[in-house]
């Protein structure tokens, strides 16, 4: 029987590209069903809950779509204290979640020793796994955090198209290591490694997105995050819209295609139904993600007084979680 992966069970780039371009709802049911079956066979039916704590919205970067970029003067900035983060960790443990995900802008006010000490305290006082998502940090910091007990690191490559990546992620001043090199270093340091992409960036083509999926196939990723592109109104890309027949749309269906294809090329990966997917389709986005290959949800346990200030994009779903 012919499946989404083809008669021989393999999904090559031509098949990936064909599925990305597919717009027949009846045909897409084959893709959704196979992704769901592969998810069931390889990671089971449990939906794993990971508590998200948005530790700081300070950022040194000038990413052209992101609301917490350094150049946004309309945002009230905050940086949580270690005790506040520890309180969140205890709440996450009490709720029965297995992991705390500490996310922030690329904020060097969260110093290497401060993060290492916080990780060690969380590991000493809770049963939680610790996931960090703190951007492009120095190798010595990443090494120290791993030695302190951090289990996972999330660093999305966003797009494998270098020219497009450079347009949306201007390089920062000071010492840095290219993102692809950091992903390899994280693996060498013993982290479980997560990465992922945005879907629908202005200028992103179907061919580029197919390359992203094939990158998933070639990388030993433990987690793959996929979300639709949602620009913040106080950014340079807010008024920029891609056009033409090869422009990838930033919609829920296309994001779900990438979620499903990610499941097929990396059957054992953990794949979240992201907040961005829930934002673009508030009624059904995260549910559809879970039915089309995803197996993770990240409830936001950031204190209410900070939640609205972590505004990567506007009107974010889950603020009331």
């Amino acid at each position: 029987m012919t499946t989404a992966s083809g008669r021989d069970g393999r999904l090559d780039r031509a098949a990936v590209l064909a599925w990305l371009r597919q717009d027949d709802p009846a045909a897409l049911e084959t893709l959704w069903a196979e992704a769901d079956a592969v998810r069931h066979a390889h990671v089971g039916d449990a939906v794993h809950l990971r508590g998200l704590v948005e530790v700081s919205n300070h950022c040194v970067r000038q990413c052209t779509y992101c609301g917490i970029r350094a150049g946004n003067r309309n945002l009230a900035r905050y940086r949580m204290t270690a005790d506040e983060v520890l309180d969140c960790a205890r709440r996450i443990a009490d709720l029965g979640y297995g992991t705390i995900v500490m996310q922030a802008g690329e904020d060097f006010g969260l110093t290497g020793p401060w993060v290492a000490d916080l990780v060690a305290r969380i590991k000493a006082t809770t049963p939680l796994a610790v996931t960090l998502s703190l951007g492009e940090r120095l190798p010595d910091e990443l090494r120290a955090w791993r030695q302190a007990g951090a289990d996972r690191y999330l660093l999305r490559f966003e797009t494998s198209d270098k020219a497009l990546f450079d347009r949306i992620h201007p390089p920062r001043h000071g010492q840095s290591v290219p993102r692809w090199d950091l992903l390899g270093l994280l693996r060498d340091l013993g982290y479980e490694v997560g990465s992922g992409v945005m879907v629908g960036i202005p200028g992103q083509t179907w061919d580029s997105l197919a390359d992203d999926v094939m990158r998933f196939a070639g990388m030993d990723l433990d987690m793959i995050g996929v979300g639709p592109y949602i620009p913040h109104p106080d950014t340079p890309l807010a008024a920029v819209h891609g056009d033409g027949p090869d422009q990838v749309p930033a919609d829920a269906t296309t994001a779900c295609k990438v979620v499903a294809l990610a499941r097929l090329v990396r059957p054992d990966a953990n794949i979240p139904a992201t907040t961005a997917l829930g934002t673009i389709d508030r009624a059904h986005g995260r549910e559809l993600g879970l039915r089309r290959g995803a197996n993770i949800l990240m409830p936001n346990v950031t204190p209410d007084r900070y939640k609205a200030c972590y505004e990567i994009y506007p009107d974010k779903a889950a603020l009331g979680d």
Side-chain angles (χ1 to χ4, degrees):
M1 182 178 77
T2 301
T3 66
S5 300
R7 293 184 182 277
D8 61 0
R10 292 179 296 179
L11 195 68
D12 60 17
R13 189 183 183 284
V16 167
L17 185 57
W19 278 118
L20 290 173
R21 289 180 174 276
Q22 179 61 256
D23 59 7
D24 179 357
L28 285 169
E29 289 300 326
T30 300
L31 178 63
W32 310 145
E34 185 168 347
D36 197 46
V38 170
R39 186 268 314 146
H40 169 78
H42 288 268
V43 297
D45 290 331
V47 177
H48 300 283
L49 300 176
R50 296 178 175 174
L52 176 64
V53 183
E54 295 158 334
V55 178
S56 168
N57 71 348
H58 290 266
C59 190
V60 300
R61 302 301 288 263
Q62 294 284 10
C63 300
T64 54
Y65 60 91
C66 180
I68 67 171
R69 66 194 303 266
N72 184 3
R73 307 302 180 194
N74 298 323
L75 185 66
R77 302 286 178 170
Y78 73 89
R79 186 179 292 125
M80 291 176 63
T81 68
D83 285 342
E84 287 175 324
V85 179
L86 282 166
D87 286 343
C88 290
R90 286 188 282 268
R91 182 180 178 211
I92 289 166
D94 289 344
L95 288 167
Y97 306 164
T99 300
I100 180 173
V101 180
M102 294 166 51
Q103 184 178 72
E106 207 159 292
D107 177 12
F108 288 87
L110 305 176
T111 67
W114 185 91
V115 174
D117 179 70
L118 179 56
V119 169
R121 292 172 69 186
I122 292 171
K123 297 297 284 190
T125 57
T126 76
L128 299 174
V130 174
T131 297
L132 301 177
S133 181
L134 305 178
E136 296 176 13
R137 300 293 295 242
L138 298 176
D140 286 347
E141 293 175 319
L142 298 173
R143 185 175 295 106
W145 300 343
R146 176 69 183 131
Q147 291 170 348
D151 301 280
R152 308 181 184 116
Y153 203 95
L154 308 181
L155 183 65
R156 300 206 322 186
F157 63 82
E158 306 296 14
T159 173
S160 57
D161 181 331
K162 185 179 185 307
L164 182 57
F165 180 88
D166 290 344
R167 285 203 298 275
I168 65 174
H169 287 272
R172 64 173 167 82
H173 297 294
Q175 184 181 3
S176 63
V177 177
R179 188 163 297 204
W180 290 109
D181 293 346
L182 282 178
L183 287 166
L185 174 64
L186 290 165
R187 174 65 65 201
D188 292 343
L189 290 173
Y191 284 96
E192 293 183 24
V193 181
S195 196
V197 297
M198 288 188 296
V199 174
I201 307 164
Q204 184 180 50
T205 65
W206 294 114
D207 276 306
S208 170
L209 192 56
D211 289 340
D212 294 341
V213 174
M214 298 313 294
R215 285 273 189 163
F216 298 156
M219 298 172 71
D220 186 17
L221 292 177
D222 300 287
M223 178 177 149
I224 298 171
V226 176
Y229 165 80
I230 308 173
H232 192 282
D234 294 328
T235 62
L237 280 185
V240 176
H241 304 284
D243 54 21
D246 285 332
Q247 170 63 49
V248 174
D251 59 25
T253 297
T254 309
C256 283
K257 291 179 192 177
V258 181
V259 167
L261 293 166
R263 174 60 65 199
L264 296 184
V265 300
R266 298 298 308 177
D268 296 327
N270 286 313
I271 301 177
T274 59
T275 301
L277 185 55
T279 299
I280 207 83
D281 181 350
R282 288 188 178 275
H284 305 294
R286 284 182 286 187
E287 178 186 349
L288 289 176
L290 292 171
R291 293 172 59 189
R292 295 171 177 177
N295 68 317
I296 300 285
L297 287 177
M298 292 188 182
N300 191 333
V301 297
T302 306
D304 289 344
R305 61 187 174 279
Y306 300 132
K307 271 185 185 179
C309 296
Y310 198 83
E311 194 175 78
I312 294 175
Y313 48 82
D315 199 25
K316 186 169 60 174
L319 288 180
D321 280 359

